[in-house]
Amino acid sequence: MSSTPTARSAGPVVIDRARAPRPTARRRADGVDAVRIALWVVVAAVVLLPLGAIVWLAASDNHLPLLLGGDIAEAGLNSLVSAVSSAVGAVVVGTVLALLLDRSDLRGRRVLRLLALTPLLVPPFVGAIAWIGIAGPTGSVNALWAQWFGAPLWNIYGGDGVIFLLTVHSYPVAYIIVSAALRRIPSDLEQAARISGASAVRAVMTITVPLLRPAILSAFTLVAVGNLADFGIPSIIGLPERYVTLSTLIYRYIQSGTVESPLEVISTIGVVLLIVAAAAMVIDMLVSRSRWELDGSASADHILPLGVARLPLTVVAWVGVLAITLLPLFALLTQSLLPAPGVPLAWENLTLDNIVRATTMPATVTGAVNSVVLSVLAGVICGIVGLAIGTLVTRTDARSNTALRTVAMLPQAIPGLVIAVGWLIIAPRIGLFNTPWLILCAYVMAFVAIVVQAVSAPLRSTPMTAEEAARISGASRLRALFDISWRMALPAAISGATLVVLTAVRELTISVLLLAPGAQTLGVSIFSLQQAGAYNAASALSLIITLVGLAGLGLAARRAR
Amino acid sequence: MTRKHYVATAATFVVLGLALTGCTAAEPAATADADSATTSTELDAATITVYTSEPQEKIDAIVAAYNEEQPNVTVEVFRAGTGDLTARIEAERTTGDVQADILLAADAPTFEGYAADDLLLAYTPADVESLNQDVVDPEGFYTGTRIIPTVIAYNTTAIDTPPTSWQDLTDSEYAGKITMPNPDVSGAAAFNAAVWMNTDELGEEWLEDLAANEPVIADSNGPVSQAVAAGTQPVGIVVDYLVRELQAAGSPIDVSYPSEGVPYVSQPVGIFASTDEEAASESFVDFLVSEAGQTLAVEQSYLPVRNDVGTPDGAPAMDDITILTPDLDLIAETKAAAVARFNELFQ
């Protein structure tokens, strides 16, 4: 979940005056009300039910003393520290990148922007596997360093490595949010400051950055909540050094039953995470309320000249971004092509065996098929439900609209881990225990918000005139909703659903907890190989997934031009 | 996000699909000669679920070879560490029936526990008289399928004088250099902890001395062998077949059989009493210990439980290794306490 980009608008909220609620006379229930009730049933089943189960189970017995016990308190502290520090790092990197790539005359900005976004396409746990090859105890960089200076440079295992990798995998999200806000800030203000004698840097620091504050804060909360429960990175990078976070602790409890009544303890942790997530959501809402509106810019975008610093900054930015994007690929490549650990890197030792073996293993094929099927189904369901909710809450007046939207958006702020635990609790009672459909339910709950978000933005910004025209011509409310609103939002829904598919197909946190015979996903296949010590095979699969993701990005970028 | 983007995504999936399924035909399934001693008749269509701690590739090859004999039986595999499997079985028992038909994992004491709880079906495999009688349960609840000794592995580039006994590992020369698996996850590691505790010349004192050398506790045997081969931790306590495999693949790793003797587990197989597919489950058990199944085991670098299929390349003959054969009932009784003590000392 930590690398899910969401098209959250960070700019000023535009209130469409044409849509101010009108006093409606009492009317008979019609098709729209039926749709609304149906949607409420759906969100109650896939969102409120699992959350309710967590809260109910946590409340069934008092486990609070346990939470204050050694293990959980330590894991909670680690989770908090790693989430907050990586979010700070991601926001700093993301903001600097946004200023450099969108506002300055850095050389090669366009290509660099694409490169800088690549960590979004690499699932975090794959990044972890790759970085072990670079900065693990016997990784390439450390091996070289030890040859020259007699000691390794930096061992990625442990808390510092977890924070570093979480930062690497979440700065693109921060960059996207900040850069969207930056586009809405007219450069006239900066111009005015420059005319009054401020230096370029001072103009940016005193005018632009303060105006970005709401976007920065919302990027921070989003990234921090996402990173709070990432599972792949802390389990692959943290555990070898005994650095335990809440997510890895929960996984261990579920898998090995090392505590009495693990589900109750886990749901108590889940409730604590829920409270944290809810608090983050509230902060985010308060911040977005206090946003100020800026008039659109009258002049063309103004580029900030870097002057003397242009060359050094270009070099630094390129080196940094290339290191973060190409080094892991190189590490995955070498790990995939070497037959076994400890074999020196030389031409005669390279072999394609690992790649062939990893891709032809029945477990991998099953995992890949499961992942594709589950993520496409999740995309279709989220697309339909999300489109219906999005149109209903933006194009009709009802008192329950805000509540419906909030419930649908809620899971976005909830760590995937908690979502999985919720479904784990209710699974035996709804007969889905040990089936892949459980993973599908969790995916729908986790990702429906992506589509609601995607369709809300364009619908909000178009006036109601088309629907009104349809009503005047005699269409029922439902017909107007179907024929006009849905049609308008369809492209947005399709792109939202695509994003759901792309997110779900490489997902690990949810599926690793809902693992069952015959219900393993691609992410779990790679994770299991890594756990079993088949590092070369895990790297080979990771490499393939990464290259496919990058190829997809390349295609998308080519077409977008 | 446009229609174009959507097309690009669709293209991505096509590529992914091709990448993942395009070369399935290239799999040369390691199959043994299918002239097994038992001329089994083909069973009707059935689906059985196997819980196992076998490495994924190995169990996949076993299922493929079994399907050569029984093409109509679909075998669903759930692979996890022994600790995870026992937790899952425990959870399933409390909510209803065990979801698996077959358990292929761990060690005899684990199965003794399940047999005592009436979870297992008594079944003596066909051809039982050809097997090593040490691994056959006289009551017939489980049968060992391979001999898996735990040995000392060392990295040949980093270690000049390899340790030759368990006692050697407590030498300060190996401080910070040792890695071993976690008994909470690995069934063999849990079994070993109990055997060491109950071996007179080792016992708790030896464990304390070993803990003083601060070994790195990895999750399971796989990562331990990798760490030794890569040189991260040049000495490891690990099951022997992984060392042979890495050696064959070219890693600088070798094995040393400790002089006090090696504990071994037999990766038994048993059928859960709650199974609906008794015939198919029994045929799977038969296959595992049949000549064909054991030939495959040897190909997978395991020491076999029959003496008519040879031994893996690079493995010593069974007579050349000192084996620790503790009283299994005693091990079953003391295992939990031994693991708890191990965790106190090492974690």
Side-chain angles (χ1 to χ4, degrees), chain B residues 63-75:
Chain B
V63 170
Y66 167 73
N67 282 144
E68 300 253 322
E69 289 188 15
Q70 295 291 357
N72 303 331
V73 180
T74 310
V75 184

Side-chain angles (χ1 to χ4, degrees), chain A residues 218-291:
Chain A
S218 105
F220 174 83
T221 49
L222 188 73
V223 167
V225 168
N227 288 356
L228 185 65
D230 184 71
F231 171 78
I233 291 174
S235 86
I236 292 172
I237 299 291
L239 285 186
E241 288 275 332
R242 302 256 166 282
Y243 184 84
V244 180
T245 63
L246 285 178
S247 53
T248 52
L249 189 76
I250 287 181
Y251 177 73
R252 184 55 38 233
Y253 281 177
I254 289 182
Q255 293 295 322
S256 305
T258 42
V259 285
E260 287 292 311
S261 57
L263 275 184
E264 290 180 24
V265 176
I266 291 166
S267 55
T268 314
I269 302 174
V271 168
V272 173
L273 285 176
L274 262 180
I275 293 168
V276 172
M281 217 171 161
V282 167
I283 290 171
D284 200 42
M285 267 166 65
L286 290 177
V287 170
S288 62
R289 281 233 178 107
S290 66
R291 279 178 196 157

Side-chain angles (χ1 to χ4, degrees), chain B residues 18-162:
Chain B
L18 287 175
L20 286 165
T21 55
C23 38
T24 38
E27 171 77 23
T31 49
D33 296 341
D35 59 343
S36 59
T38 53
T39 44
S40 48
T41 47
E42 273 194 24
L43 294 165
D44 294 338
T47 300
I48 53 175
T49 303
V50 179
Y51 281 6
T52 183
S53 60
E54 282 281 342
Q56 189 73 54
E57 274 184 277
K58 290 194 162 66
I59 190 69
D60 287 342
I62 292 168
V63 170
Y66 167 73
N67 282 144
E68 300 253 322
E69 289 188 15
Q70 295 291 357
N72 303 331
V73 180
T74 310
V75 184
E76 293 237 322
V77 173
F78 179 76
R79 193 233 154 256
T82 308
D84 299 351
L85 289 177
T86 46
R88 177 172 276 268
I89 291 167
E90 205 51 49
E92 286 170 355
R93 274 175 68 185
T94 47
T95 52
D97 273 341
V98 178
Q99 305 282 319
D101 301 291
I102 288 180
L103 176 63
L104 168 62
D107 49 59
T110 302
F111 280 78
E112 289 287 352
Y114 288 142
D117 292 346
D118 293 332
L119 283 186
L120 298 175
L121 202 68
Y123 175 66
T124 305
D127 207 18
V128 68
E129 53 281 355
S130 316
L131 305 183
N132 173 344
Q133 292 307 305
D134 287 347
V135 300
V136 180
D137 175 30
E139 291 163 306
F141 288 112
Y142 59 91
T143 312
T145 60
R146 50 277 270 95
I147 306 283
I148 305 178
T150 291
V151 297
I152 298 173
Y154 61 97
N155 183 300
T156 50
T157 46
I159 299 287
D160 301 330
T161 48

Side-chain angles (χ1 to χ4, degrees), chain A residues 385-401:
Chain A
V385 174
L387 177 63
I389 292 175
T391 43
L392 211 62
V393 299
T394 51
R395 309 308 269 184
T396 64
D397 297 318
R399 247 178 241 125
S400 62
N401 274 352

Side-chain angles (χ1 to χ4, degrees), chain A residues 19 22 32 35-36 383-384 386-397 451-452 454-471 475-494:
Chain A
R19 286 201 47 248
R22 288 161 304 227
V32 173
V35 171
R36 178 171 289 118
I384 294 168
L387 177 63
I389 292 175
T391 43
L392 211 62
V393 299
T394 51
R395 309 308 269 184
T396 64
D397 297 318
V451 181
V452 175
V455 298
S456 297
L459 282 173
R460 267 225 196 80
S461 54
T462 44
M464 293 287 288
T465 43
E467 279 96 328
E468 279 155 6
R471 293 298 312 277
S476 68
R477 289 204 310 154
L478 189 62
R479 176 89 194 262
L481 202 64
F482 266 107
D483 280 357
I484 314 269
S485 320
W486 279 41
R487 294 267 164 97
M488 268 196 301
L490 199 58
I494 288 175

Side-chain angles (χ1 to χ4, degrees), chain A residues 50 53-54 57 250 254 262-263 266-268 270 415-427 510 513-514:
Chain A
I54 295 178
L57 197 63
I250 287 181
I254 289 182
L263 275 184
I266 291 166
S267 55
T268 314
L417 190 75
V418 179
I419 291 175
V421 169
W423 286 102
L424 207 61
I425 295 168
I426 53 178
I510 291 176
L513 288 173
L514 301 179

Side-chain angles (χ1 to χ4, degrees), chain A residues 137-138 239-240 242 251-252 254-258 339-343 356-357 359-365 368-369 372 375-376 428 433-434 491 494-495 498-499 501-502 505 515-518 520 522 528-536 541 544-545 548-549 551-552 555-556 559-561, chain B residues 1-9 11-13 15-16 19-21 23-27 49 51 55-57 60 76-80 83-85 87-88 91-92 95 99 155 182 184-185 216-227 229-232 246 249-252 346-347:
Chain A
T138 51
L239 285 186
R242 302 256 166 282
Y251 177 73
R252 184 55 38 233
I254 289 182
Q255 293 295 322
S256 305
T258 42
V343 177
V356 173
R357 268 186 19 213
T359 47
T360 51
M361 278 168 63
T364 309
V365 177
V369 170
V372 171
S375 57
V376 168
F433 189 62
N434 272 357
I494 288 175
S495 66
T498 309
L499 194 58
V501 174
L502 280 178
V505 81
L515 180 65
Q520 89 172 44
L522 191 56
S528 308
L529 282 171
Q530 179 77 12
Q531 288 290 306
Y535 299 146
N536 301 86
L541 270 186
I544 290 164
I545 286 194
V548 167
L555 279 173
R559 304 188 65 92
R561 249 180 228 154
Chain B
M1 288 293 202
T2 58
R3 197 180 170 80
K4 288 171 177 172
H5 184 102
Y6 178 66
V7 173
T9 310
T12 308
F13 275 116
V15 175
L16 180 70
L20 286 165
T21 55
C23 38
T24 38
E27 171 77 23
T49 303
Y51 281 6
Q56 189 73 54
E57 274 184 277
D60 287 342
E76 293 237 322
V77 173
F78 179 76
R79 193 233 154 256
D84 299 351
L85 289 177
R88 177 172 276 268
E92 286 170 355
T95 52
Q99 305 282 319
N155 183 300
N182 180 348
D184 280 338
V185 181
V216 171
I217 307 298
D219 252 7
S220 56
N221 280 285
V224 169
S225 63
Q226 295 273 329
T232 321
L246 286 170
S251 290
F346 289 84
Q347 312 217 347

